[in-house]
Amino acid sequence: MSPVTAATRFSVLDRSRTREGHDGPEALRDTVRLAQELERLGYHRIWVSEHHGVPGVAGSAPTVLAAAVAAATRTIRVGTGGVMLPNHQPLVVAEQFGVLESLFPGRIDMGLGRSVGFTDGVRKALGRDKDVADDFAGQLDELLGWFRGTSPTGVHARPAEGLTVPPFVLAMGEGATIAARAGLPMVIGDLRGREKMRRGIDHYRATFRPSAWASEPYVVISGTIAVADSPEEARRLLLPEAWSMAHSRTRGTFPPLPPAERVETLRMSDKERGFYESGLRGHIAGTKEQVAHELETVLKETDADEVLVTTSTYDRGALLDSYERLARIAGLDGAGPA
């Protein structure tokens, strides 16, 4: 095991992806079960995501799902990757995380993103316009103010005020700049765009301003990692997500994940095939030795403090096996010898 890998925290974002032949409620229960397994393996945290009106994702209410995950576990940190702040009133977000932190003290993370509804219909249903994301920095400042009790409204966020729930900024677009100016930890991806990711990290570290929330920069890199007995088996784990992404790029809807064996038989248009092949490139995938080497390389390049693994696939058993293999590579408590 590499010293740089051993010094790095490993965590997981599970997006509660729906699968062909399995409904949304089952996907949510899968996330809770996975959290219990990740805790056993020694992962640092599990996060859940926010998507609205997407057929392929069941996770539409991340703070509700985080509560279920936290209730089913004992030690692993639980949070959101993330709550899309432009979709919500900051007071309500503060109240929700205040309740979570009160129920599960010392285990809750507040990962925050600046994306707004995926389609015009979703944005209309949420009562939000695209440009609401332009004030993400202001929304973030307002949210943190509710925890500090500094709102000029005279209103107090109960029970959030006075509590410390670690905030993280999902750095897409201007996110790195906003995280640095606010003095907050940053989550940046993905592993397929290494040069862009490194530029974002360098900018974040160079412009970071210490705050009450973080005295120094903290970088979480995120992306897909798949570990299996052979490179071919690891690649098969990537097929369902790559096809679903290609489908969404060409047809406008993000569907449930199909089995890898069905993806291998699908006929695709040239455009769809191009997106599909692109979706398979750049991830960290392979045998234990291959993944260990690639992980060490990217960690040395980025000097990241933590890795947030975002792998999705149809076969949940194979996914758990991949996480078990990765835990051994990372030397996590509960994973057994590497």
Side-chain angles (χ1 to χ4, degrees), residues 68-117:
V69 169
T73 53
R74 296 183 302 105
T75 58
I76 193 170
R77 296 194 64 87
V78 179
T80 56
V83 165
M84 296 300 134
L85 195 50
N87 289 340
H88 311 281
Q89 291 295 336
L91 170 60
V92 176
V93 176
E95 290 171 337
Q96 290 173 348
F97 279 98
V99 170
L100 284 170
E101 177 63 21
S102 298
L103 292 172
F104 310 102
R107 292 179 56 205
I108 301 300
D109 302 319
M110 185 167 58
L112 305 162
R114 65 188 297 267
S115 296
V116 73

Side-chain angles (χ1 to χ4, degrees), residues 253-312:
T253 59
F254 198 64
L257 296 173
E261 53 268 26
R262 191 169 82 76
V263 175
E264 291 172 325
T265 65
L266 290 173
R267 298 182 64 180
M268 304 183 198
S269 67
D270 290 343
K271 185 176 182 181
E272 190 174 27
R273 175 68 63 177
F275 283 124
Y276 172 70
E277 295 294 344
S278 175
L280 292 172
R281 291 193 292 268
H283 305 293
I284 296 179
T287 63
K288 181 184 72 174
E289 293 76 17
Q290 291 171 323
V291 169
H293 173 74
E294 189 65 21
L295 260 178
E296 182 178 13
T297 299
V298 73
L299 289 173
K300 286 180 176 179
E301 288 176 352
T302 61
D303 196 25
D305 300 282
E306 186 170 340
V307 177
L308 181 69
V309 187
T310 62
T311 310
S312 295

Side-chain angles (χ1 to χ4, degrees), residues 108-178:
I108 301 300
D109 302 319
M110 185 167 58
L112 305 162
R114 65 188 297 267
S115 296
V116 73
F118 186 62
T119 65
D120 289 339
V122 169
R123 288 189 290 272
K124 184 177 180 181
L126 290 171
R128 294 293 189 268
D129 296 319
K130 273 186 177 181
D131 58 5
V132 71
D134 295 340
D135 190 34
F136 177 67
Q139 295 157 1
L140 182 62
D141 186 61
E142 179 184 345
L143 171 62
L144 299 181
W146 290 115
F147 288 92
R148 295 192 299 263
T150 58
S151 171
T153 64
V155 176
H156 297 272
R158 309 292 188 197
E161 188 174 311
L163 297 180
T164 299
V165 182
F168 294 74
V169 173
L170 276 59
M172 294 184 292
E174 298 178 6
T177 298
I178 293 170

Side-chain angles (χ1 to χ4, degrees), residues 38 92 98 126 134 172 187 190 210-211 218-219 247 276 292 330:
L38 294 173
V92 176
L126 290 171
D134 295 340
M172 294 184 292
V187 183
D190 62 27
S211 72
Y218 188 90
V219 174
H247 187 280
Y276 172 70

